[in-house]
């Protein structure tokens, strides 16, 4: 009933682009802070980007600054992560998280592979 679903992952060459989507059902995302995380095999999960609620403030990990852009579409109840100039080190499973006070919703993740 309450779901958060990521999509848009795939295989791209270095320098390519992908647009990840995080779509909610059963609740409205505009009340939640949204965060993107990623985890590569053998590595710890790391935060990638975050977007606030009404203010729409955004933040990015140093590794993706200038290349990734997070945005909201409240009408579609979705959040996006535009990823440009992708590097092999961006390869990971990307997860979307919606947070409100003590409530946390996680998506199932979408695989991003950057390889030549």
């Amino acid at each position: 009933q309450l779901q958060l679903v990521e999509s848009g992952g795939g295989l791209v060459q270095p320098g390519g682009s992908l647009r990840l989507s995080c779509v909610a059902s059963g609740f409205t995302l505009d009340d939640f802070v949204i965060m993107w995380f990623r985890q590569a095999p053998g590595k710890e999960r790391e935060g990638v980007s975050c977007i606030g609620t009404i203010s729409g403030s955004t933040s990015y990990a140093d590794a993706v600054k200038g290349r990734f852009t997070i945005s909201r579409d409240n009408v579609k109840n979705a959040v996006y992560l535009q990823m440009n100039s992708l590097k092999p080190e961006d390869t990971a499973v990307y997860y979307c998280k919606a947070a409100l006070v003590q409530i946390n919703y996680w998506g199932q993740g979408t695989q991003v592979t950057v390889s030549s």
Side-chain angles (χ1 to χ4, degrees), residues 3-4 22 24 27-37 49-54 70 72 79 95-107:
Q3 297 185 39
L4 196 62
C22 176
F27 66 102
T28 55
L29 278 181
D30 60 351
D31 294 325
F32 288 75
V33 173
I34 308 299
M35 292 157 279
W36 285 97
F37 294 85
S49 184
C50 178
I51 187 167
T53 54
I54 297 176
I70 189 171
R72 286 180 177 268
V79 174
Y95 298 91
C96 180
K97 177 184 178 181
L100 175 63
V101 192
Q102 295 182 342
I103 301 173
N104 295 308
Y105 297 142
W106 287 89

Side-chain angles (χ1 to χ4, degrees), residues 1 8 60 85 87 90 103 106 108 111:
Q1 183 174 350
Y60 301 90
S85 301
K87 304 174 181 180
D90 294 319
I103 301 173
W106 287 89
Q108 85 289 350
Q111 176 70 50

Side-chain angles (χ1 to χ4, degrees), residues 33-78:
V33 173
I34 308 299
M35 292 157 279
W36 285 97
F37 294 85
R38 66 185 182 185
Q39 187 167 25
K43 297 183 179 180
E44 295 183 359
R45 183 176 62 191
E46 63 176 337
V48 176
S49 184
C50 178
I51 187 167
T53 54
I54 297 176
S55 68
S57 61
T58 60
S59 62
Y60 301 90
D62 289 341
V64 306
K65 286 181 179 178
R67 300 188 296 119
F68 291 11
T69 303
I70 189 171
S71 62
R72 286 180 177 268
D73 187 334
N74 290 335
V75 174
K76 296 182 178 180
N77 206 26

Side-chain angles (χ1 to χ4, degrees), residues 9-13 18 86-88 90-92 94 111-115:
L11 173 64
V12 298
Q13 295 184 351
L18 286 173
L86 284 164
K87 304 174 181 180
D90 294 319
T91 296
Y94 285 70
Q111 176 70 50
V112 172
T113 303
V114 186
S115 176

